[in-house]
Amino acid sequence: MQFAELSYFGINYMIQFLGFFYAYGSVGLGFVFLVVALFCARQYKAGGIFLGIAPAFHAMQGALLGAAMLIVLLWDFKRLRQHLIPTLKYFAVGCLVTGASLALHKLTIDDVPKIRPDIAREFVNAVIRYWDPHRSPVNLLSLNFYFAVLCSLTSFSLLTFCKKDLPDHFHFPLRFFSVIGIIGITACLVTHIPPDLIDPLLIRFMPARILNVNVLGLIPLLVGIMAFYKDDFLIQLNLFFLVLVLFLALAFHPPYWGRLMALMLTLSAAILVLRTSVFSGSPWLRSRSDLPQTGTATIMTLVVAIAGAQAYTSWDDYKSMFQYWGNNSMFAKIHEGKGSLLLADSNLVYQMQLYTQHPVLLGSFSTEIAYVPEAGPESDRILKEVYGIDLFNPLPETKKTRGFPMNELQKLWESRTLEEWKEIKEKFSVADIFVNADWKLQLPLSHPPEWITLYAAGGGLDIKNKKQYILYGIP
């Protein structure tokens, strides 16, 4: 996964299959890749079952995957029709599993009190405008978007200009990435429409993130296609330099390494398309030389060896990160508490719930309101009375960072008296307050300061970026 640092260029949020607390979206994306891989390998029965199950893993990504598969089927019906009936039988089985999952979900959840649609819309719109970074408009000039578009353009160009010479098994993945690109790019454009002019469902489920399939699929697509042309010296040389530059860029992270990757991927894709179309009949570009292939294999071996060495040597550093209420005294104190935990940093909600197995007063409220607008009124009340924040009219710092104004919040909490904290405890059942150690609250300590490494706000874990936290208790 050395080349998977393209995950830093995700649409809506960073992509990681492991070591990330947004497991729901990661599992959904991983399942999409599994389904596509099965169809690419012509395992239509297994692919059909998992395609039917996909919405049970992630409703939006599963639905968009199904739509993309349908378009690919209609686009290449002559080639795929012989596999249609057997696949549909297994697809129906997968759909039954999804239906059973949905039925179980409906039977085991408690519904929430309804609010008027116009009020719900106001809360959702406020979250989109000021708070939720995942649902903000996609930057169409970013490398994130560029990588996804490049994958689609490369796929479509190969289908258009090299169609006659393409091996049969190339058609499905190229058509799939082309279709996903069209769907995802359209969804990205929709994010620039004012939220009050579009259906709230499009806001809630972030369909633009399906474009992450293309972001992660770009390098495997180029490497896989070029590896097929073993007797073509130019293509193999192209593959060698692509792998070499990516390896060096990701190993040393020179200045503007993302742009360097974009340039190399663009040149490599252009050379591939030109070689298989305009210059496809040039015999002087063909050679039996094994030097490029040997070089590529050497670099890939180095990638595996270095990744393995890093995993081995970093264990001593990372194992200290595996802390929870059973081996950390501060987390144990929170775990044993009788009321909710109050956090100043909203980016730590998921981690602290995981490490302490204890409820947090205000979770990731922007995501919660986007999915369940009925949570809006109570979230707004907590924000005003505990955090001193107006959900509908936040400070400029919030509009810029889409997070709590930490300096203002620190001043508010440090000025709050013991009696005021007791009133908050009575209203909201708060027992402990977890803040940076430099916050001096007018409360007794529940646990002394401790250096802890937690997941960063952008996702990712930096073992060298420890912070000192302190735990206050409300008597």
Side-chain angles (χ1 to χ4, degrees):
M1 293 294 288
Q2 184 73 14
F3 290 160
E5 284 201 44
L6 273 180
S7 61
Y8 285 106
F9 302 102
I11 305 294
N12 288 127
Y13 51 72
M14 193 174 72
I15 314 161
Q16 275 187 281
F17 293 122
L18 297 173
F20 196 51
F21 47 83
Y22 289 120
Y24 185 43
S26 299
V27 170
L29 180 61
F31 202 80
V32 169
F33 269 95
L34 172 62
V35 174
V36 174
L38 288 170
F39 277 97
C40 288
R42 301 183 179 182
Q43 300 298 314
Y44 297 107
K45 295 179 180 179
I49 288 180
F50 288 128
L51 177 60
I53 296 175
F57 276 80
H58 196 289
M60 175 55 70
Q61 295 195 46
L64 292 178
L65 172 63
M69 288 292 189
L70 177 60
I71 295 172
V72 171
L73 172 64
L74 297 175
W75 187 2
D76 201 21
F77 186 74
K78 290 183 179 180
R79 195 186 309 271
L80 297 175
R81 63 181 177 183
Q82 59 180 319
H83 308 291
L84 180 59
I85 299 303
T87 303
L88 284 177
K89 294 178 180 178
Y90 287 86
F91 173 70
V93 174
C95 289
L96 289 176
V97 175
T98 295
S101 174
L102 178 61
L104 180 63
H105 173 74
K106 290 292 187 181
L107 290 172
T108 54
I109 65 169
D110 294 324
D111 205 356
V112 294
K114 298 297 181 182
I115 61 176
R116 288 189 352 231
D118 58 323
I119 296 178
R121 188 66 178 257
E122 290 178 3
F123 278 105
V124 173
N125 290 350
V127 163
I128 303 306
R129 285 195 178 97
Y130 306 127
W131 294 99
D132 194 340
H134 304 316
R135 291 170 175 83
S136 58
V138 175
N139 184 0
L140 303 181
L141 299 179
S142 65
L143 286 176
N144 316 37
F145 187 73
Y146 178 77
F147 285 131
V149 172
L150 179 60
C151 182
S152 296
L153 285 177
T154 302
S155 300
F156 189 75
S157 298
L158 288 170
L159 284 170
T160 303
F161 302 113
C162 319
K163 186 175 182 180
K164 294 182 180 179
D165 298 325
L166 285 177
D168 186 68
H169 61 280
F170 280 16
H171 284 265
F172 176 82
L174 292 176
R175 293 177 192 274
F176 177 80
F177 284 121
S178 298
V179 171
I180 284 292
I182 294 172
I183 295 174
I185 291 169
T186 303
C188 288
L189 295 176
V190 169
T191 64
H192 289 267
I193 300 175
D196 53 337
L197 298 180
I198 59 178
D199 193 302
L201 284 176
L202 289 176
I203 298 175
R204 293 181 192 176
F205 295 112
M206 296 183 289
R209 60 183 154 177
I210 195 64
L211 208 55
N212 287 329
V213 173
N214 280 17
V215 175
L216 285 188
L218 176 58
I219 291 178
L221 179 70
L222 291 176
V223 172
I225 291 177
M226 287 191 283
F228 177 80
Y229 293 99
K230 296 180 176 62
D231 297 333
D232 194 300
F233 180 77
L234 180 61
I235 291 181
Q236 291 305 307
L237 193 64
N238 185 24
L239 176 59
F240 168 74
F241 279 109
L242 172 64
V243 173
L244 176 63
V245 171
L246 291 181
F247 171 70
L248 294 175
L250 297 175
F252 299 104
H253 288 94
Y256 306 108
W257 63 274
R259 298 179 185 180
L260 176 62
M261 289 175 57
L263 176 61
M264 189 61 210
L265 287 166
T266 302
L267 289 174
S268 182
I271 292 171
L272 174 62
V273 173
L274 290 173
R275 178 67 186 98
T276 53
S277 58
V278 179
F279 301 108
S280 61
S282 303
W284 55 275
L285 292 174
R286 299 189 181 277
S287 171
R288 293 296 300 177
S289 175
D290 293 332
L291 286 177
Q293 295 180 51
T294 303
T296 302
T298 301
I299 294 172
M300 297 304 293
T301 303
L302 282 173
V303 169
V304 174
I306 292 173
Q310 288 177 342
Y312 179 79
T313 57
S314 64
W315 168 245
D316 288 336
D317 294 324
Y318 276 96
K319 68 180 180 182
S320 62
M321 302 302 102
F322 291 101
Q323 297 184 6
Y324 69 111
W325 72 94
N327 60 13
N328 180 285
S329 58
M330 182 179 286
F331 294 158
K333 185 71 175 179
I334 297 171
H335 177 72
E336 295 166 359
K338 300 300 183 181
S340 299
L341 175 66
L342 180 60
L343 298 174
D345 189 349
S346 61
N347 293 306
L348 301 180
V349 168
Y350 297 112
Q351 302 93 305
M352 292 305 296
Q353 285 180 328
L354 175 64
Y355 297 152
T356 66
Q357 292 293 288
H358 198 77
V360 173
L361 173 63
L362 187 66
S364 182
F365 69 92
S366 61
T367 299
E368 292 166 359
I369 293 174
Y371 285 121
V372 187
E374 290 80 3
E378 184 63 17
S379 297
D380 187 36
R381 185 171 79 95
I382 294 173
L383 284 171
K384 288 178 179 177
E385 298 188 25
V386 179
Y387 292 89
I389 295 172
D390 186 349
L391 186 146
F392 293 95
N393 188 30
L395 295 173
E397 182 182 344
T398 291
K399 296 178 181 179
K400 182 179 180 181
T401 64
R402 291 184 173 257
F404 289 159
M406 299 302 289
N407 292 332
E408 297 298 323
L409 184 60
Q410 183 177 358
K411 293 177 184 178
L412 173 65
W413 284 14
E414 288 180 342
S415 66
R416 191 168 279 162
T417 65
L418 177 60
E419 293 303 317
E420 290 174 328
W421 281 117
K422 287 183 176 181
E423 184 178 344
I424 288 175
K425 179 179 181 179
E426 182 69 23
K427 284 184 178 181
F428 302 104
S429 299
V430 174
D432 297 298
I433 305 172
F434 183 82
V435 294
N436 291 345
D438 61 344
W439 288 37
K440 309 301 180 183
L441 307 188
Q442 300 178 44
L443 288 170
L445 287 182
S446 183
H447 192 282
E450 182 175 340
W451 290 92
I452 302 174
T453 299
L454 297 172
Y455 273 99
L461 179 64
D462 183 359
I463 59 174
K464 299 178 181 179
N465 186 25
K466 285 188 175 183
K467 288 185 178 181
Q468 194 175 33
Y469 295 97
I470 194 169
L471 188 67
Y472 290 97
I474 304 178

